[in-house]
Amino acid sequence: MASVNGEEVVSNKQVIFRDYVNGFPKESDMYVTTSTIKLKVPEGSNAVLVKNLYLSCDPVMRIRMLRVTVSGFTSYNPGSPLTGYAVAKVLDSGHPDFKAGDLVWGPSGWEEYSLITATESLHKIQHTDVPLSYYTGLLGMPGMTAYAGFYEVCSPKKGEYVFISAASGAVGQLVGQFAKMLGCYVVGSAGSKEKVDLLTNKFGFDNAFNYKEEHDLDAALKRYFPEGIDIYFENVGGKTLDAVLLNMRVHGRIAVCGMISQYNLDPPEGVKNLMCLIYNRIHMKGFTVRDYVHLHPKFLDTVLPYIKEGKIVYVEDIAEGLESAPAALVGLFSGRNVGKQVVLVARK
């Protein structure tokens, strides 16, 4: 720790994005370095200076490792820290809505300390009687994604048949529990025996299967859904989506949340069974959580009691230390994580 012109300056460990990525991301596409930062917001700025506590590893970060031309996404800058959702503590603020000591969640840098200028996306954490890390997942962007995608996009009804891919992940595990609470029949797919066991034993899914052990996904879905699927919560894309299309019921709904099987493919796989959308009058809609930010207060009012009553459980995979962040992020794409992948930077 040093002082420059009377202002405290500290070292700031950072995860730097090396260069645009083709194919599967590798740890070497990022590197850890140390710079310095003043623990003071510049005079006249309405920025917020934070100490990052937890970082969220999210599949969407892979898209930002490309030279992005996709609407709504901005590429990472080679030579700069990665950014993503985080839980942080405010150290200094030039913004009237935030003060030193506040806990917040929202976009931040992959570093120990960040100066946040885009404060419109920061949320003050009011409820601290749940684990703070939940604001990277269950109570943050993935939780809102599950809530909006299921209730708003899927328009579910009691007794419907629901299938969820990547079902043990940050979003899928919640969608399944929302569906069960509504009285739906719920099946999920995942990539290991451990994850399949989680789905049925911890999250209360009616059934689950390991897609890696199914050589014919169409046959597998017919086994678990002999009467077809009303709602498919799509996290995977590719062959899974193609098989699901053959098994959707009339007026079925597909919420397209992500397609993690396609992020590292160039070109991506094609989908052959889109005619099923016509035959069965299926509603298939893509969405992002940005469309539903206005629902966040209602979401918290719904989910916080469920957590406290034990009606919702949430599994996290926490990697310790900023140095572990590149491996944690890359691990998402090989299914190494079990539950929501979080990086613990500091406890307080």
Side-chain angles (χ1 to χ4, degrees), residues 37-324:
I37 188 170
K38 289 181 182 177
L39 293 186
K40 195 85 183 142
V41 170
E43 196 69 40
S45 166
N46 69 347
V48 175
L49 182 83
V50 301
K51 179 180 183 180
N52 292 308
L53 306 178
Y54 294 94
L55 303 178
S56 177
C57 294
D58 296 299
V60 70
M61 296 172 73
R62 173 65 187 87
I63 297 172
R64 300 185 64 195
M65 292 177 160
L66 301 167
R67 278 185 208 273
V68 175
T69 55
V70 180
S71 170
F73 294 96
T74 53
S75 296
Y76 291 131
N77 293 317
S80 296
L82 281 81
T83 57
Y85 285 92
V87 171
K89 182 175 164 184
V90 176
L91 300 183
D92 190 34
S93 173
H95 195 287
D97 292 347
F98 303 99
K99 64 182 190 301
D102 283 347
L103 292 165
V104 295
W105 72 270
S108 189
W110 273 36
E111 53 194 352
E112 291 177 290
Y113 303 92
S114 294
L115 183 68
I116 300 173
T117 54
T119 51
E120 64 277 1
S121 298
L122 274 187
H123 303 262
K124 194 183 291 190
I125 294 174
Q126 311 284 6
H127 304 275
T128 55
D129 52 349
V130 293
L132 281 180
S133 57
Y134 277 12
Y135 287 92
T136 67
L138 170 53
L139 295 174
M141 182 273 287
M144 270 294 294
T145 302
Y147 179 83
F150 184 62
Y151 291 112
E152 299 293 316
V153 179
C154 294
S155 304
K157 296 186 280 293
K158 182 178 179 179
E160 290 194 309
Y161 302 118
V162 178
F163 176 54
I164 303 156
S165 55
S168 68
V171 175
Q173 58 175 291
L174 278 173
V175 175
Q177 292 178 80
F178 289 149
K180 283 306 300 174
M181 281 191 278
L182 191 62
C184 298
Y185 168 77
V186 182
V187 177
S189 63
S192 72
K193 182 183 185 304
E194 180 185 9
K195 293 177 182 180
V196 167
D197 288 346
L198 265 182
L199 294 178
T200 52
N201 298 334
K202 194 169 183 77
F203 301 137
F205 283 49
D206 294 288
N207 239 313
F209 63 88
N210 182 348
Y211 69 89
K212 293 177 182 174
E213 294 177 354
E214 300 290 347
H215 303 298
D216 184 339
L217 285 171
D218 177 31
L221 291 171
K222 283 182 167 55
R223 198 163 70 240
Y224 291 105
F225 294 98
E227 296 180 48
I229 299 166
D230 292 298
I231 291 172
Y232 173 44
F233 202 96
E234 163 69 304
N235 293 308
V236 169
K239 295 180 179 65
T240 301
L241 174 58
D242 238 353
V244 167
L245 285 167
L246 295 173
N247 289 277
M248 293 296 293
R249 301 179 80 182
V250 171
H251 300 304
R253 285 86 72 208
I254 300 175
V256 185
C257 174
M259 293 192 172
I260 196 169
S261 74
Q262 304 302 296
Y263 297 161
N264 302 310
L265 301 182
D266 187 16
E269 292 173 322
V271 177
K272 300 170 188 169
N273 295 320
L274 289 173
M275 284 294 287
C276 296
L277 297 177
I278 302 168
Y279 303 148
N280 290 321
R281 288 85 81 202
I282 298 162
H283 182 78
M284 182 172 173
K285 180 178 178 180
F287 74 101
T288 78
V289 74
R290 288 191 293 268
D291 300 329
Y292 299 98
V293 171
H294 62 284
L295 294 177
H296 191 248
K298 182 182 172 188
F299 161 72
L300 286 181
D301 288 345
T302 302
V303 173
L304 280 165
Y306 288 156
I307 298 170
K308 289 164 187 171
E309 293 162 18
K311 289 181 179 174
I312 280 184
V313 292
Y314 200 63
V315 171
E316 298 176 304
D317 192 328
I318 298 182
E320 297 217 10
L322 201 56
E323 302 85 351
S324 69

